[in-house]
Amino acid sequence: MSIETGAAPSALVDQTEASCFYHPQKQAVRVCDGCGRMICSLCSIELGAEHLCPNCIAAGRKKGKLTTLEDRRVRYDSIALSLGIFSFLFYVLAIVLAPAALYISIRHWNSPGSLLGRSRGRFVVAIILASCALLIWIAMVSVLVWHSPHRK
Ligand SMILES: [Zn+2]
Ligand SMILES: [Zn+2]
């Protein structure tokens, strides 16, 4: 008898649901404190009380914005390692993240942080990961260029 018209269509949820900036397929769980982009749990890097996306980590290091890192005793080797790992997770960003990981590893190789008795194992792993990511990136581009359709 009664026609139910009160219920709003739920199909739009898929359209409006916030997805990760870096992973359109994944649902965002938070907003990056650096750039405000929606990021998924995988992209969220905890830095003290902040949660930053990998791009902001890389950009922050370049601009020297994250100078408070020293005060918070954030481990550069962990950041370098994270960037190295992210280089693998995001091939598109590897071209930015991998050099950043290499830069941080080399820059802080002899930093006072290493006096805390921390081994350089993470730096080594970060450098290896970043190097591999870069090589893979270069290899992928080479393959794409090589196998691009030619009109003959
Ligand atoms: Zn960000
Ligand atoms: Zn993501």
Side-chain angles (χ1 to χ4, degrees):
M1 293 293 285
S2 63
I3 303 172
E4 296 180 12
T5 55
S10 58
L12 283 174
V13 172
D14 290 334
Q15 301 280 338
T16 57
E17 195 173 31
S19 60
C20 173
F21 180 80
Y22 303 98
H23 301 92
Q25 306 296 333
K26 293 190 177 180
Q27 188 179 352
V29 294
R30 68 174 76 249
V31 174
C32 170
D33 291 323
C35 60
R37 285 169 177 157
M38 304 296 290
I39 50 179
C40 68
S41 55
L42 191 66
C43 297
S44 176
I45 301 175
E46 198 169 344
L47 206 65
E50 291 183 318
H51 289 86
L52 298 173
C53 69
N55 209 23
C56 282
I57 298 282
R61 289 309 316 160
K62 281 182 185 172
K63 294 175 185 173
K65 264 185 176 180
L66 305 177
T67 48
T68 54
L69 284 182
E70 265 112 352
D71 301 333
R72 295 179 187 176
R73 290 187 185 179
V74 171
R75 301 173 180 179
Y76 288 111
D77 53 353
S78 294
I79 295 175
L81 185 59
S82 297
L83 288 175
I85 294 171
F86 273 111
S87 298
F88 267 90
L89 296 177
F90 315 102
Y91 284 126
V92 177
L93 291 175
I95 200 66
V96 176
L97 295 179
L102 288 174
Y103 172 78
I104 293 174
S105 298
I106 295 169
R107 171 82 164 73
H108 297 285
W109 184 266
N110 289 318
S111 69
S114 58
L115 292 176
L116 298 174
R118 203 167 292 130
S119 71
R120 288 166 179 158
R122 291 188 180 188
F123 280 145
V124 174
V125 174
I127 290 173
I128 292 172
L129 283 176
S131 301
C132 289
L134 269 183
L135 285 175
I136 292 171
W137 204 89
I138 293 169
M140 284 199 315
V141 171
S142 303
V143 168
L144 285 175
V145 171
W146 189 259
H147 289 288
S148 61
H150 296 284
R151 288 184 181 177
K152 292 181 178 176

